[in-house]
C-alpha cells in the first residue's frame, strides 16, 4: 500500500509480548502518503487538544490572579483537574465507538465541542462558567479528538508505531509552545475575550485538517456492542492481567505527577519573583513565566519524537523506565533545590528543571499508548487504551487540586510554600518508575539486553 512493503505482525496478546505470530495476522503499511497523512491528522489533534492541556499553567495563572482572584489555589485547581479528567475519562465511551464505527463522526463532534466552547470561554466571568465551558464541554471535545486520532495511527503502523506515535505527540508539545506564546502578548493588548476567540480560530483550522485526513483502515469489530452495560464502560477484565493492571497504575502515577509542573510552573515563577498578578505582561518577569512553559513544551517535542524512535529499537518499556527516572531526578533535584535553598542562583536551576523535565515527560507521553498497545490485540487497542485512561483520569482529576491544597497548607510563604507539591510530584514518579520496572521484570526478567 502506498508503495511501501507491508509488514505482517501478530496482533494477539501473546504475539505482542513474545513476538510469535498467531493464525490471526494483520498487515500494516508502515508508511506511505495515506499512512503519514493519518499520522499528521493525529499531530493536529494533539496540537488542538493537548496544546491547551499543556498550556494550563498559563490559563491557571491568569484565571487565579486576574479573573477569579477570590478563589483558593485548590478551587482553581478543580477547574483544570476536571478538564483533564473529562478529557481522559470520556475515552472509555469513545474507544468502543471508534472500534465499531471509525473516527470521522467522532472527530466532527469533537471539533464542534472544542471550537464552540473556546469561543464561549471569551464570555466566562464566574466560577461555574469555567466549570461548564472549559472543564466539561471543552474536555469532551478534547477526548473526541485525540482518542480516535491516536487509535487510527495504530491501524497503519505496527513496527514503526513508536515513531509514528512520537511524531503525532509532537503536535501536543508544539501546541504547548504556540498557545502560551500566542496568549502572552495578546492578553494585555486585546483582553481575555478576543484572546480566546483567536485561540478558537486556530483550533478551527486544525479541526478542518483533522476531519479531512484522519481515517481508519481495519474492519470494524463485529463483536462490539454499544450498550452502556458493556463496551461503553471500563472493561475491568483486562486488569486481571497483572502486566496490564500494573502498567495502568504506572500511567496513573505518571499523569498524577505530570500536571503539577505543567499547571504550577508559571505561578511558581511569579511568586518566586515577587509578582502578584499574571496580568502584568509588561513585566519581563511575568512574560518569562509564560515562556518557561513554552520552553518546557518545546523541549518536550524533542523527547516525544526521540522516545518513539528509541523505543522502536531499544524496547518500549525499557525506554519508559529510563524516562520516568529522568523525570524523578529533575523534580527531586533541580525543582526541589530551587524551592528550598536560601538564595537560588538566578534562574539556572529552574531552567535546568524545565529542560530536563520537558524532555523526559515528553518521552513519557509518547510511550504510554505504545506500552499499552504492546499488551493487547491491535483491534482492541481503542478499548484497552480508553479503559486504562478511565482509571488514569482520576489521577488527572485529583492531582492538580491536591497540589493546590499542599501549596496552601505547608505553612511557608513565597517559593518555599511550593515544597509540598514538588514532593508530591517526586513521590508519584517514584511509584511510576517502580510500576514500569515491575512489569518489565515480570514479563521479560532482569536481562536488560532483551528489547521490550
Amino acid at each position: 500500500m502506498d508503495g511501501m512493503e507491508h509488514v505482517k505482525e501478530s496482533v494477539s496478546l501473546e504475539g505482542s509480548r513474545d513476538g510469535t505470530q498467531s493464525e490471526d495476522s494483520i498487515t500494516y503499511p508502515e508508511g506511505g502518503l495515506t499512512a503519514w497523512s493519518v499520522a499528521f491528522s493525529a499531530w493536529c489533534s494533539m496540537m488542538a487538544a493537548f496544546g491547551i492541556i499543556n498550556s494550563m499553567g498559563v490559563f491557571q495563572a491568569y484565571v487565579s490572579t486576574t479573573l477569579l482572584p477570590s478563589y483558593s489555589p485548590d478551587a482553581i485547581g478543580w477547574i483544570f483537574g476536571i478538564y483533564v479528567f473529562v478529557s481522559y475519562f470520556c475515552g472509555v465511551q469513545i474507544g468502543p465507538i471508534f472500534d465499531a464505527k471509525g473516527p470521522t463522526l467522532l472527530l466532527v463532534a469533537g471539533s464542534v465541542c472544542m471550537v464552540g466552547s473556546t469561543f464561549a470561554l471569551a464570555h466566562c466571568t464566574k466560577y461555574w462558567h469555567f466549570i461548564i465551558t472549559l472543564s466539561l464541554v471543552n474536555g469532551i471535545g478534547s477526548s473526541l479528538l485525540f482518542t480516535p486520532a491516536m487509535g487510527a495511527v495504530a491501524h497503519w503502523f505496527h513496527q514503526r508505531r513508536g515513531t509514528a506515535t512520537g511524531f503525532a505527540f509532537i503536535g501536543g508539545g508544539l501546541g504547548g509552545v504556540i498557545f502560551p506564546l500566542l496568549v502572552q502578548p495578546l492578553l494585555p493588548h486585546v483582553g481575555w475575550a478576543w484572546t480566546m476567540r483567536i485561540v478558537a480560530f486556530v483550533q478551527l483550522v486544525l479541526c478542518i485538517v483533522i476531519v479531512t485526513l484522519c481515517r481508519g483502515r481495519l474492519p470494524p469489530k463485529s463483536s462490539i456492542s454499544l450498550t452502556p452495560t458493556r463496551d461503553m464502560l471500563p472493561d475491568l477484565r483486562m486488569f486481571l492481567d497483572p502486566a496490564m493492571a500494573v502498567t495502568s497504575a504506572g500511567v496513573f502515577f505518571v499523569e498524577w505527577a505530570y500536571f503539577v509542573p505543567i499547571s504550577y510552573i508559571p505561578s511558581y515563577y511569579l511568586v518566586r519573583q515577587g509578582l502578584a498578578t499574571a496580568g502584568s505582561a509588561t513585566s519581563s518577569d511575568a512574560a518569562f513565566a509564560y515562556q518557561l512553559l513554552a520552553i518546557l513544551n518545546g523541549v518536550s517535542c524533542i523527547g516525544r519524537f526521540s522516545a518513539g524512535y528509541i523505543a522502536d529499537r531499544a524496547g518500549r518499556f525499557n525506554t519508559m523506565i529510563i524516562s520516568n527516572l529522568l523525570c524523578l531526578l529533575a523534580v527531586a533535584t533541580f525543582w526541589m533545590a530551587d524551592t528550598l535553598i536560601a538564595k537560588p542562583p538566578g534562574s539556572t536551576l529552574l531552567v535546568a528543571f524545565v529542560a530536563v523535565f520537558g524532555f523526559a515527560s515528553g518521552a513519557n507521553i509518547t510511550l504510554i499508548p505504545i506500552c499499552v498497545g504492546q499488551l493487547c490485540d491491535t483491534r482492541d487497542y481503542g478499548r484497552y487504551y480508553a479503559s486504562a485512561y478511565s482509571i488514569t483520569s482520576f489521577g488527572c482529576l485529583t492531582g492538580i487540586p491536591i497540589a493546590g491544597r499542599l501549596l496552601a497548607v505547608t505553612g511557608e510563604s513565597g517559593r518555599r510554600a511550593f515544597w509540598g507539591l514538588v514532593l508530591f510530584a517526586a513521590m508519584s514518579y517514584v511509584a511510576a518508575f517502580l510500576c514500569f520496572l515491575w512489569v518489565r521484570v515480570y514479563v521479560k526478567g532482569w536481562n536488560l539486553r532483551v528489547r521490550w
Side-chain angles (χ1 to χ4, degrees):
M1 186 175 291
D2 299 320
M4 297 295 293
E5 180 182 358
H6 283 56
V7 177
K8 284 192 174 184
E9 290 290 338
S10 168
V11 295
S12 69
L13 183 58
E14 281 242 350
S16 296
R17 292 193 191 174
D18 301 329
T20 60
Q21 286 197 341
S22 69
E23 294 180 359
D24 186 15
S25 295
I26 294 177
T27 60
Y28 294 85
E30 299 292 354
L33 179 61
T34 303
W36 283 109
S37 294
V38 172
F40 180 69
S41 72
W43 184 95
C44 292
S45 78
M46 291 294 107
M47 177 173 284
F50 277 88
I52 296 298
I53 291 175
N54 289 333
S55 304
M56 282 195 305
V58 170
F59 296 102
Q60 191 270 349
Y62 191 84
V63 170
S64 63
T65 60
T66 306
L67 298 179
L68 300 173
S70 62
Y71 286 85
S72 65
D74 51 313
I76 299 298
W78 281 111
I79 296 175
F80 298 97
I82 294 171
Y83 169 53
V84 183
F85 168 77
V86 171
S87 298
Y88 286 157
F89 186 79
C90 286
V92 74
Q93 288 80 37
I94 295 167
I97 299 174
F98 165 77
D99 290 336
K101 302 294 183 182
T104 303
L105 292 177
L106 294 170
L107 295 172
V108 171
S111 299
V112 172
C113 288
M114 172 164 283
V115 175
S117 62
T118 305
F119 274 116
L121 272 175
H123 304 284
C124 290
T125 57
K126 299 182 182 298
Y127 187 84
W128 66 269
H129 293 172
F130 286 94
I131 291 291
I132 293 175
T133 304
L134 177 63
S135 304
L136 299 180
V137 181
N138 206 298
I140 292 170
S142 176
S143 190
L144 284 165
L145 285 177
F146 75 78
T147 303
M150 293 310 301
V153 170
H155 283 203
W156 295 85
F157 297 89
H158 191 277
Q159 285 189 346
R160 301 176 68 189
R161 188 178 296 167
T163 302
T165 302
F167 167 76
F169 272 107
I170 288 174
L174 189 59
V177 175
I178 291 173
F179 287 119
L181 295 181
L182 178 69
V183 167
Q184 181 257 319
L186 286 175
L187 283 173
H189 291 96
V190 300
W192 170 261
W194 269 106
T195 298
M196 290 299 98
R197 292 180 188 122
I198 293 169
V199 169
F201 279 119
V202 173
Q203 290 176 330
L204 176 61
V205 173
L206 292 170
C207 288
I208 291 171
V209 176
I210 296 164
V211 173
T212 302
L213 296 181
C214 189
R215 66 193 71 178
R217 189 182 66 89
L218 301 181
K221 291 196 68 177
S222 58
S223 62
I224 291 291
S225 170
L226 302 180
T227 61
T229 57
R230 272 191 64 194
D231 295 294
M232 295 182 73
L233 294 174
D235 188 352
L236 299 181
R237 293 171 299 177
M238 69 180 63
F239 300 117
L240 296 176
D241 174 12
M244 186 64 194
V246 179
T247 296
S248 298
V251 177
F252 176 95
F253 288 118
V254 166
E255 300 291 352
W256 218 19
Y258 172 68
F259 288 106
V260 175
I262 289 292
S263 300
Y264 286 99
I265 276 293
S267 297
Y268 173 76
Y269 186 77
L270 290 173
V271 171
R272 186 181 188 273
Q273 301 303 112
L275 297 173
T277 173
S280 49
T282 54
S283 165
S284 60
D285 284 330
F288 189 63
Y290 290 158
Q291 292 163 8
L292 275 174
L293 196 58
I295 294 169
L296 188 156
N297 284 298
V299 177
S300 81
C301 292
I302 303 172
R304 288 164 194 251
F305 182 76
S306 61
Y309 181 84
I310 294 169
D312 284 343
R313 288 152 181 80
R316 285 86 184 262
F317 274 80
N318 295 346
T319 310
M320 186 67 164
I321 291 167
I322 299 299
S323 65
N324 270 284
L325 182 59
L326 287 175
C327 284
L328 169 60
L329 293 174
V331 173
T333 57
F334 295 129
W335 196 11
M336 183 63 82
D338 192 85
T339 302
L340 293 179
I341 62 177
K343 187 177 181 181
S347 300
T348 304
L349 284 173
L350 194 57
V351 171
F353 164 71
V354 164
V356 176
F357 179 81
F359 177 86
S361 63
N364 284 346
I365 296 301
T366 293
L367 293 167
I368 285 171
I370 57 178
C371 285
V372 172
Q374 190 154 314
L375 301 174
C376 68
D377 186 307
T378 300
R379 290 170 299 176
D380 290 326
Y381 177 73
R383 183 168 56 90
Y384 268 65
Y385 181 68
S387 293
Y389 261 101
S390 70
I391 305 301
T392 301
S393 62
F394 288 95
C396 302
L397 172 67
T398 57
I400 302 172
I402 287 173
R405 171 52 64 184
L406 290 172
L407 180 62
V409 301
T410 56
E412 302 280 357
S413 60
R415 60 186 170 83
R416 286 179 176 270
F418 285 78
W419 73 264
L421 65 84
V422 176
L423 180 62
F424 168 68
M427 295 308 296
S428 298
Y429 276 119
V430 169
F433 170 79
L434 293 176
C435 285
F436 285 104
L437 180 62
W438 185 91
V439 175
R440 169 63 173 76
V441 174
Y442 172 77
V443 177
K444 292 295 182 181
W446 288 100
N447 187 354
L448 299 181
R449 294 182 179 180
V450 175
R451 187 182 72 175
W452 192 75

